[in-house]
Amino acid sequence: MDIRIGVTQSPREITLEVEDDAAARKKIKAAVDAAISGATDVLWLTDKKGREVAVPGAKIAYVEFGSPDSDKRMGFGG
């Protein structure tokens, strides 16, 4: 599953690919809810390669969950 996180005052978004199962999705959504509500100061996520990413909860503009192949386009021209 792909996760995109928009950060306030930053033109780029953070993109992670994480395990896609119901338990992982529920755990990540709970962590996002806690960071946005202020229950925790930092949202910590770990991607499939084991890299850890921290995002300050106060700086989260949006979080988007999606499948890894939903946006991948290949080709030239329009």
Side-chain angles (χ1 to χ4, degrees):
M1 162 176 61
D2 279 345
I3 299 175
R4 289 187 207 121
I5 304 170
V7 181
T8 59
Q9 300 178 350
S10 175
R12 298 184 66 184
E13 61 189 13
I14 298 168
T15 304
L16 299 165
E17 187 175 348
V18 298
E19 296 298 326
D20 191 8
D21 61 30
R25 186 178 289 254
K26 188 174 183 178
K27 181 179 176 183
I28 292 169
K29 284 184 177 181
V32 170
D33 285 341
I36 291 174
S37 70
T40 61
D41 294 331
V42 179
L43 171 63
W44 281 98
L45 297 174
T46 305
D47 71 1
K48 279 187 170 181
K49 296 179 182 180
R51 294 180 293 188
E52 293 182 326
V53 175
V55 181
K59 297 291 184 177
I60 296 173
Y62 64 89
V63 178
E64 181 179 296
F65 292 82
S67 66
D69 297 326
S70 63
D71 264 349
K72 309 235 173 159
R73 296 183 184 104
M74 184 178 272
F76 300 94

